Amino acid sequence: MAARERLKSNEDPPKTFSPPCVPEKCSSYCYEMAEFRYRGRGFTTQDVLYIRTLIAAHPGESRRRLSQKLCEAWEWKQPNGALRDMVCRGLLLMLDRAGQIDLPAVKFVPANPLVQRARPAPVRIDTTPFEGRVDQIGPLQFAQVRRTPEEPLFNSLLEQYHYLRYQQPVGEHAKYLVSTQGRPIACLAWSSAPRHLGSRDRYIGWSAEARRRNIRFIAYNTRFLILPWVRIENLASHILARMAARISEDWQQMYGHPIYFLETFVDPERFRGTCYRAANWVLLGNTTGRGKQSNSYVPNRSIKQILGYSLTKRFRELLARVA
């Protein structure tokens, strides 16, 4: 089953935080409070009071514009220079619900494309058996198909033939269609890595601050599909090795930064991860089985193996940097 080794479930330990200990609404700036954190950034009483002042100074602005103004004032930006608008809006909503600020009423609720998104439509392709050896089938073509005319084909193949079906990724991601002799034979999906994975974090040895800064340098293999009519020995491990040789350069072109480390999950109740191990991926440990939405320490899903692959010998040094 080496040709069908694929993961896949997006495990991530639960995010928990206490409501910010901010003072009751008032005009005084003399209160002091312990710093609280939200999405890796620290906040104090003075920050909350500044937000109240900003809202009061722009009574006609929407929540979106207030969030953008706050990001600009604080220079709160993503590594690519874009404002952290959605993260900031989450902070404002949290403070509003905690009764520490008064956001203006919602003016417009846009349709959520992820909720209303239609499932990928089936496609007709050649499904006759495709057999042989890796050295006999001709050169493999790797195409990054995100935002290309071939993206619907990629989505449809995962929807039809991967046991987890297609899932729309968020954040930085890439979609690869592997073909030979004019026929697609495999699909690989990559996305931003989960923020918290204990086994991975211990393997890398980075601090919480380094993880917050450098998590973007890790790519997470969310889907790996060898189409079911393809029977080629060692194809899966060969594809993984070829993928590892090019993904960092592709990521640099798409998102302006390289990749130093790859990771994936394997469900041991279904697969053995043979193709990953054959491609020199190493076992980092296991997930907790709780998922990012869990509010307890009781596992609520199958425990996955975490496998990783370093793209440079200096990955620990590069990922641990905080300067």
Side-chain angles (χ1 to χ4, degrees):
M1 187 69 185
R4 281 167 190 66
E5 301 290 353
R6 45 200 184 267
L7 72 88
K8 310 312 185 185
S9 169
N10 193 349
E11 294 276 346
D12 196 351
K15 300 187 286 288
T16 60
F17 55 84
S18 301
C21 178
V22 297
E24 293 298 322
K25 296 173 190 171
C26 66
S27 60
S28 174
Y29 280 68
C30 63
Y31 288 93
E32 294 183 0
M33 60 168 270
E35 181 179 286
F36 72 94
R37 301 190 69 80
Y38 180 79
R39 297 295 292 270
R41 182 186 177 110
F43 297 91
T44 65
T45 301
Q46 287 68 34
D47 293 323
V48 177
L49 295 176
Y50 178 84
I51 295 172
R52 295 177 190 169
T53 302
L54 179 71
I55 295 172
H58 301 88
E61 296 285 17
S62 66
R63 296 183 177 193
R64 178 180 181 181
R65 283 296 300 139
L66 289 171
S67 172
Q68 292 171 344
K69 287 181 178 294
L70 188 59
C71 287
E72 291 167 355
W74 286 350
E75 296 187 351
W76 200 6
K77 299 179 180 180
Q78 302 176 44
N80 62 6
L83 298 178
R84 291 191 179 274
D85 179 40
M86 295 304 297
V87 175
C88 187
R89 274 191 256 180
L91 169 69
L92 295 178
L93 185 60
M94 182 192 75
L95 292 173
D96 181 74
R97 289 174 174 172
Q100 301 305 325
I101 64 173
D102 281 323
L103 286 175
V106 175
K107 294 183 177 181
F108 174 67
V109 180
N112 187 336
L114 299 182
V115 172
Q116 300 180 358
R117 186 186 301 272
R119 303 302 304 179
V123 296
R124 290 181 175 272
I125 62 171
D126 185 358
T127 61
T128 56
F130 191 87
E131 301 178 348
R133 298 201 322 240
V134 171
D135 60 352
Q136 295 176 331
I137 62 175
L140 302 183
Q141 289 83 44
F142 287 71
Q144 200 296 115
V145 299
R146 182 191 179 196
R147 296 177 176 172
T148 74
E150 292 184 297
E151 186 174 13
L153 172 61
F154 175 95
N155 297 349
S156 181
L157 292 176
L158 285 183
E159 178 72 12
Q160 293 181 82
Y161 300 112
H162 196 285
Y163 79 100
L164 290 174
R165 304 175 67 188
Y166 174 76
Q167 183 177 11
Q168 177 64 26
V170 296
E172 297 180 349
H173 64 278
K175 302 176 179 181
Y176 288 89
L177 192 63
V178 184
S179 305
T180 188
Q181 299 181 25
R183 297 180 61 181
I185 59 174
C187 301
L188 299 97
W190 301 85
S191 71
S192 303
R195 285 190 300 276
H196 304 285
L197 285 176
S199 298
R200 175 204 63 199
D201 297 340
R202 288 188 292 272
Y203 181 80
I204 294 174
W206 55 4
S207 65
E209 177 63 17
R211 181 183 62 208
R212 185 185 71 82
R213 290 173 176 263
N214 300 328
I215 191 70
R216 61 197 174 104
F217 297 118
I218 298 179
Y220 166 44
N221 179 209
T222 59
R223 296 287 189 273
F224 184 17
L225 169 69
I226 303 292
L227 292 171
W229 51 87
V230 177
R231 295 285 190 275
I232 300 173
E233 187 176 1
N234 302 323
L235 176 64
S237 58
H238 178 76
I239 288 175
L240 287 170
R242 292 276 302 276
M243 190 77 260
R246 65 170 293 164
I247 189 170
S248 182
E249 182 177 349
D250 289 349
W251 218 271
Q252 178 76 51
Q253 294 178 356
M254 289 187 292
Y255 299 112
H257 65 83
I259 294 295
Y260 301 137
F261 196 80
L262 306 176
E263 66 185 25
T264 195
F265 296 161
V266 171
D267 187 344
E269 296 179 3
R270 288 178 172 268
F271 308 114
R272 290 178 295 177
T274 305
C275 67
Y276 288 98
R277 290 175 169 84
N280 296 319
W281 290 53
V282 297
L283 178 65
L284 309 182
N286 297 323
T287 65
T288 61
R290 295 197 298 269
K292 63 182 180 181
Q293 302 299 332
S294 174
N295 57 6
S296 73
Y297 292 99
V298 179
N300 57 14
R301 62 191 66 192
S302 60
I303 294 176
K304 309 296 193 301
Q305 293 179 339
I306 307 171
L307 277 70
Y309 184 87
S310 59
L311 297 180
T312 171
K313 293 180 179 179
R314 299 174 56 229
F315 74 96
R316 287 191 174 92
E317 173 192 346
L318 294 169
L319 292 173
R321 287 178 176 174
V322 294

